[in-house]
Amino acid sequence: MTTPLHATTLYEDLRRQWGDLAWVELEPGVGAWLVMGYQEILTITRQEKLYSRDARNWRLFQEGVVPPDSGLGPMMFWRPNVIGADGAEHRRLRRPLDDGVAAIDQRRMRRSVETMCADLIAGFRDRGSADLMGEYAAVVPMLALADLFGLDVGQGHELLAALRALFGSAEDSQAGNRRFEEILGCIMNARKQAPADDLTTRFLRHHDLRGDPEVLQSMVVMISAAQETTTTWISQTLRLMLTDPRFAGRVRGGRLGVDDALDEVLWRDPPMTNMPARYALRDTELGGRRIAMGDALVLGLAAANADPKVHTGDGVLELGNRAHLAWSAGPHACPAPVPARLITRTAVETALHLLPDVRLAVNAAELVPHPSPWTRCPAALPVLFGDQ
């Protein structure tokens, strides 16, 4: 299952054919329900006793239909972390993430991100051209996360390459996942010997994490989720500011600003297009479809945000509406929307301030997404500025 950079028409077609749940193929022979109804996603995310996050309940994996080396593995197979847990176990593993986010000094983070952004732009500003995806949007979150967890820049770049493979769910995803965990294991072991004022040390000391495997998996969850989603949010917001007349005008004195664009992206192109997965614990019915025990249900967050039942049809009335499902919902909702917004807003504002005449170097229709069933991040965002 892949989605184009703009998938609204695809969702409309699927909704006309299937309703609010569509049976889709994740890879050859591996099917799942794509949940596209806004209310249906709320139902799933709020009923963990019926729709489990534990992938060991996935019937197609139990039956051997999904091979152990599947490219879907790093995103869909069970891990001993907060994502794969329900109930009290989930709450225990969630607390270190919530405490870690609460400990972030947001003023310090904003200053640090501003400096990172300015340094990155200084590296290509004299050239008159850049890829604001590969040279900027993907690098800013990586540098910010490296700073939070105590990684050096070289380790951060290795993490970035490994994560891109992981989220691609292709043949190299398992290798990317292994390398990702190796890098985090190294920094975890280093912090055991030399503690520091960073999130790695906080996780090692947190009373709810029982041993190195849980510490490592908490780092995996926080870094992987934050890197890919924030990269997508930055790049999609920059794309919107440069291509949509309502927002492009703001760059040159129009009325809609960066915060409006940030919210528009969360509705139209959320950082996680499709969120894997929930697994039915018994036969049930949802959205008029019969769901069998062990079926996988993928949360179509972008499709649900486009559900006509939750829109007025008046774009002006909907400005500022934050009832989107970009962060999912229920107990497994994203723990860090505030720092993610801080990083994204800072990155977008800094780019538009330091590159006031920035413009796309290609037609907007030529922008394509990086291959992934889960995110819709532009593969590149080529721009020109200055005299170019």
Side-chain angles (χ1 to χ4, degrees):
M1 181 183 69
T2 58
T3 53
L5 196 55
H6 307 292
T8 302
T9 302
L10 171 64
Y11 299 140
E12 290 173 353
D13 291 343
L14 285 172
R15 210 182 301 273
R16 278 193 294 268
Q17 180 181 355
W18 289 87
D20 289 321
L21 276 79
W23 187 254
V24 299
E25 196 171 64
L26 301 179
E27 66 180 20
V30 179
W33 292 105
L34 176 63
V35 184
M36 301 182 292
Y38 185 97
Q39 190 57 51
E40 284 72 18
I41 285 184
L42 291 181
T43 297
I44 290 172
T45 56
R46 292 170 178 173
Q47 295 187 21
E48 60 183 347
K49 292 183 179 180
L50 177 55
Y51 300 103
S52 174
R53 206 58 168 88
D54 188 336
R56 290 173 293 186
N57 294 299
W58 191 9
R59 189 182 67 258
L60 294 185
F61 181 75
Q62 294 172 350
E63 296 174 350
V65 176
V66 185
D69 61 351
S70 167
L72 297 169
M75 289 295 289
M76 291 193 67
F77 290 175
W78 180 79
R79 294 176 189 250
N81 63 27
V82 65
I83 290 177
D86 297 312
E89 182 72 352
H90 171 261
R91 290 189 291 275
R92 176 180 72 83
L93 294 171
R94 170 77 183 229
R95 280 192 291 270
L97 305 187
D98 291 336
D99 292 346
V101 170
I104 294 173
D105 183 333
Q106 294 188 34
R107 290 185 178 180
R108 178 187 176 278
M109 173 180 273
R110 180 177 178 83
R111 291 193 300 269
S112 176
V113 173
E114 282 180 339
T115 299
M116 295 171 187
C117 292
D119 288 345
L120 288 171
I121 291 171
F124 56 68
R125 183 163 46 194
D126 291 343
R127 196 170 71 219
S129 66
D131 171 12
L132 286 185
M133 173 56 201
E135 295 182 87
Y136 189 72
V139 183
V140 173
M142 179 271 292
L143 293 175
L145 288 165
D147 186 47
L148 286 174
F149 280 89
L151 285 78
D152 62 39
V153 174
Q155 291 171 314
H157 281 287
E158 281 195 80
L159 276 181
L160 185 58
L163 280 171
R164 185 46 50 95
L166 190 159
F167 273 88
S169 290
E171 292 181 357
D172 60 347
S173 67
Q174 299 241 11
N177 178 64
R178 286 192 295 271
R179 182 57 186 146
F180 178 49
E181 293 194 359
E182 286 172 2
I183 296 168
L184 295 186
C186 287
I187 187 63
M188 181 185 72
N189 290 329
R191 285 295 173 268
K192 290 170 69 175
Q193 301 299 319
D197 183 17
D198 56 29
L199 289 185
T200 300
T201 302
R202 288 181 181 275
F203 283 176
L204 283 165
R205 293 174 172 173
H206 202 285
H207 61 275
D208 278 314
L209 294 178
R210 302 166 182 169
D212 290 355
E214 289 191 355
V215 172
L216 177 65
Q217 286 300 317
S218 295
M219 295 171 69
V220 165
V221 168
M222 197 160 182
I223 293 176
S224 61
Q227 170 65 38
E228 184 72 9
T229 56
T230 309
T231 292
T232 302
W233 198 7
I234 293 170
S235 59
Q236 288 284 30
T237 304
L238 286 169
R239 177 196 58 77
L240 189 66
M241 296 291 290
L242 296 173
T243 61
D244 190 310
R246 296 171 301 155
F247 299 97
R250 174 63 179 85
V251 181
R252 298 163 183 84
R255 67 185 182 88
L256 294 180
V258 170
D259 276 310
D260 298 309
L262 292 171
D263 290 333
E264 179 84 355
V265 167
L266 292 178
W267 274 105
R268 289 173 48 187
D269 299 291
M272 285 296 293
T273 306
N274 303 303
M275 175 72 74
R278 299 297 196 276
Y279 306 91
L281 296 180
R282 60 174 171 81
D283 292 350
T284 186
E285 184 175 313
L286 182 70
R289 297 288 176 181
R290 294 180 62 83
I291 310 299
M293 185 173 71
D295 277 357
L297 299 102
V298 174
L299 307 186
L301 302 181
N305 282 349
D307 187 340
K309 295 188 291 293
V310 297
H311 290 280
T312 65
D314 187 329
V316 175
L317 285 177
E318 293 191 3
L319 280 174
N321 181 353
R322 295 185 180 177
H324 54 74
L325 295 177
W327 308 122
S328 190
H332 282 273
C334 173
V338 173
R341 192 178 188 94
L342 185 155
I343 294 169
T344 303
R345 183 198 295 120
T346 303
V348 173
E349 287 180 338
T350 303
L352 297 178
H353 174 67
L354 297 180
L355 303 170
D357 56 352
V358 65
R359 58 203 181 277
L360 272 184
V362 298
N363 188 290
E366 297 178 47
L367 299 176
V368 297
H370 181 84
S372 172
W374 318 114
T375 64
R376 205 157 59 237
C377 189
L381 199 60
V383 295
L384 300 172
F385 39 85
D387 296 328
Q388 298 296 317

